[in-house]
Amino acid sequence: MSSPRAALGVTLVLAASLFFGVCGPFGKVVIQAGLTPIQVTWLRICGVGLIAVAAAVVPLLRLRGNGERLPWRALVLFGLTAIAAVQAFYFIAVERLPVGIALLLEFMGPIVVVAWVRFVRRTVLPRAAVIGTLLSIAGLCIVVEVWSGLRLDAVGLVAGSAAAACQATYFLSGERLTAKVDVRVLLAVGFAVGAVALAPFAAPWALDWSALSSQVALGGVETTGLVSVLLLIGCTALAYGLGLSGLRFITAPVAGGIGYAEVVVASLSAWALLGEALTVPQVIGGFVVIAGVFTAQRAVSAKTVSDETAEAAVTKV
C-alpha cells in the first residue's frame, strides 16, 4: 500500500515530466524558423512569467496583508539558477558537444541531488531510490546514444556540468521553498528574475519577430511560429507548476529520478510531432528509464508509509 501523499507527488512530477518533454518540438520549429535558442528560451520565460505573476497576485496580497516576509535571497537564487542558468548553460553545451552528450550531462543533476542529500545533509536514502536513479541514468545513456559522435570540449563539458548543478538546485531549492512559499509566488519571482537575467543574452531588441508569423509544421499540421511559442509557454507553465507542487509530497532525490521520464517523452514527442524516428536502442533505453522511475516510485511510497506508521505509533504512545 502506498501513501496517498506520495502517490500524488509522484503523479504530479510525472505529469510535469510529460509537459517538459513535449516542449522540445514546440521550441525546435521556432528555432528553425529563425530565432536563436536563447531568444526562444527568453520568450518562453517571459510568457510563463506573465502567467505566474497574474496567478500570484492574490497570494502576494494575502502575504502583504498578514505582514509576512518572503525569503527574497532564496527566491532570487532560484530564479538565477533553476530558471535562467540551467537553460543558458545547456545551450552553451549544445553548441560545443553533441546534443545527446549535453542532455546527458544536464540530467546528471539528480545524481548531484542524491550526493548532496546523502553527504551534505547526511540523510540516509532508501537503497531503491538510489538504484532507481542509477538505472534511469543508464537508460538515459542508451536513449541519447552516447556512443555516437562523442567530442570532448572543455568549455562544453564545464557548461554541461554547470547545467547539472543548476538542475540539482531546482530540485533541492524547490523542495525547501515549496514548504515555505506558495508555488505561484515562487514561480512569479523565479521567472521574473530569469527573464531579466537572460535579457542581455537574448537581445530582444534585435529579435526577428517575423519568425513568429512563419509557417511551421507540427505532426503534419501547418501552424505558425506564434502558436508554437504559445504551446511552449503553456506546457512550460504547467510543467513547473506541477513539478514544484509535487516536491511538497516527495523528496528531491526521488523527484529527480522520476524526472528522467522527460527524456523518454521528449524522444516520443519528437517522433510524433517532428518525424524524428526512434532507434531500437532508444526504445530499449526508454524502457530502462521507466524501470528506474518505477523503482524510485516504489522506494518513496515504502519510505513514506514507514515514516507515517512510525509517527502514528509515537503519537499513540
Side-chain angles (χ1 to χ4, degrees):
M1 181 178 67
S2 63
S3 163
R5 288 174 60 85
L8 176 59
V10 169
T11 301
L12 290 172
V13 174
L14 278 174
S17 298
L18 170 64
F19 284 109
F20 271 131
V22 299
C23 284
F26 297 143
K28 185 170 183 176
V29 294
V30 182
I31 292 172
Q32 293 173 339
L35 298 184
T36 67
I38 291 293
Q39 288 174 333
V40 172
T41 300
W42 184 78
L43 288 175
R44 176 191 193 185
I45 290 177
C46 287
V48 177
L50 291 175
I51 296 173
V53 168
V57 170
V58 173
L60 282 172
L61 290 175
R62 188 182 300 120
L63 285 172
R64 183 177 180 181
N66 296 335
E68 298 179 38
R69 303 182 67 178
L70 292 172
W72 286 107
R73 291 184 180 180
L75 291 174
V76 170
L77 178 63
F78 181 84
L80 290 174
T81 56
I83 304 297
V86 66
Q87 300 184 61
F89 281 126
Y90 171 70
F91 285 126
I92 293 173
V94 165
E95 290 179 352
R96 295 175 172 271
L97 297 171
V99 174
I101 302 301
L103 188 63
L104 174 62
L105 287 171
E106 180 186 356
F107 272 83
M108 292 299 288
I111 289 296
V112 178
V113 171
V114 171
W116 181 274
V117 171
R118 178 64 184 88
F119 298 109
V120 178
R121 293 186 184 173
R122 299 186 181 280
T123 300
V124 178
L125 297 172
R127 182 178 298 178
V130 179
I131 293 175
T133 300
L134 294 176
L135 191 60
S136 294
I137 288 178
L140 178 61
C141 290
I142 301 173
V143 170
V144 302
E145 296 183 340
V146 296
W147 54 84
S148 61
L150 176 62
R151 292 183 292 107
L152 295 178
D153 179 277
V155 175
L157 291 174
V158 170
S161 300
C166 292
Q167 189 197 56
T169 303
Y170 165 76
F171 290 113
L172 292 168
S173 297
E175 181 186 27
R176 289 180 177 271
L177 286 172
T178 52
K180 304 176 182 178
V181 182
D182 189 296
V183 171
R184 292 167 293 180
V185 175
L186 174 57
L187 288 174
V189 177
F191 274 89
V193 171
V196 173
L198 279 185
F201 303 97
W205 51 86
L207 193 148
D208 181 12
W209 296 100
S210 63
L212 298 181
S213 60
S214 301
Q215 292 294 308
V216 299
L218 288 168
V221 178
E222 291 291 330
T223 185
T224 64
L226 177 60
V227 171
S228 188
V229 168
L230 292 176
L231 289 171
L232 175 63
I233 291 171
C235 288
T236 302
L238 287 170
Y240 271 99
L242 292 169
L244 290 172
S245 297
L247 280 169
R248 297 169 58 195
F249 307 112
I250 59 177
T251 63
V254 175
I258 294 172
Y260 283 111
E262 176 187 338
V263 182
V264 179
V265 176
S267 299
L268 291 174
S269 61
W271 166 70
L273 297 176
L274 302 179
E276 296 181 354
L278 295 172
T279 64
V280 173
Q282 286 177 323
V283 173
I284 295 174
F287 282 114
V288 175
V289 171
I290 293 172
V293 168
F294 177 77
T295 302
Q297 187 273 339
R298 296 294 296 173
V300 70
S301 297
K303 182 178 186 299
T304 305
V305 170
S306 176
D307 291 344
E308 291 179 351
T309 302
E311 183 179 348
V314 171
T315 303
K316 289 181 180 179
V317 173

